[in-house]
Amino acid sequence: RAPYVVRKVVRFAHCDPAGIIYYPQYFMLAHDCKEDWFREAVEYPFRQMITAERRGFPIVKLEAEFMRPSRLGDELDFEITVRAIGGTSLKLDYRCVCAGEERMRLKTVLVMTDLDAGTAVPIPDWLRERLSKFEAPPQEAN
């Protein structure tokens, strides 16, 4: 059930000279978490999706909000929830928390894509069913 949580540690390579996470690194960490989520929870690993089936879920819209800085060594919990599932699109949200303090939020829109044709394709029913297990309750989806 929602949310799916992945813990990531802020490493030296994520930080600027002040020891604070450099904001684009949040996007890389969120992508790593999404890949973990698809593999572990949705049971549709990127190896199968991208390599074998030539499907993908590129981001077509991204909105970020940063509340507090994260620093070298912080343990960040990325909470992933599904806001909505459309015909070809998936609204996926992330909330990044450290020791109960919210650090960052992302709202994304992904589109299931045929990687060879570069076109949107319908999300199959079996995948829609798996994704729906991570939908936020309606009052929390905003």
Side-chain angles (χ1 to χ4, degrees):
R1 296 310 284 159
Y4 176 77
V5 180
V6 180
R7 178 164 285 180
K8 297 291 181 183
V9 175
V10 178
R11 301 190 182 279
F12 179 75
H14 298 138
C15 295
D16 64 17
I20 297 170
I21 194 169
Y22 180 48
Y23 75 91
Q25 293 296 333
Y26 276 117
F27 303 143
M28 296 296 295
L29 289 166
H31 177 82
D32 288 348
C33 294
K34 176 179 72 175
E35 197 167 336
D36 292 344
W37 176 67
F38 267 105
R39 184 185 69 250
E40 296 170 5
V42 180
E43 298 180 3
Y44 190 37
F46 275 26
R47 174 185 276 182
Q48 176 186 348
M49 180 193 312
I50 293 170
T51 305
E53 298 179 8
R54 302 296 297 148
R55 295 291 186 257
F57 270 101
I59 292 175
V60 298
K61 184 176 180 182
L62 171 72
E63 180 183 324
E65 186 176 357
F66 304 95
M67 287 76 168
R68 306 274 304 164
S70 294
R71 300 182 184 280
L72 179 62
D74 282 352
E75 294 183 354
L76 306 177
D77 289 328
F78 282 81
E79 301 171 356
I80 299 175
T81 56
V82 171
R83 188 168 12 110
I85 305 169
T88 61
S89 66
L90 173 64
K91 293 181 179 180
L92 198 61
D93 294 344
Y94 304 77
R95 182 172 177 259
C96 179
V97 178
C98 180
E101 179 181 71
E102 190 172 33
R103 300 289 177 86
M104 184 268 315
R105 271 186 244 149
L106 293 176
K107 289 186 177 292
T108 64
V109 179
L110 317 173
V111 173
M112 189 166 200
T113 304
D114 177 312
L115 297 178
D116 295 322
T119 57
V121 294
I123 297 172
D125 289 341
W126 65 266
L127 182 55
R128 180 179 305 280
E129 183 179 326
R130 292 180 191 182
L131 296 170
S132 69
K133 294 175 185 173
F134 299 93
E135 283 187 286
Q139 66 274 15
E140 294 177 19
N142 299 323

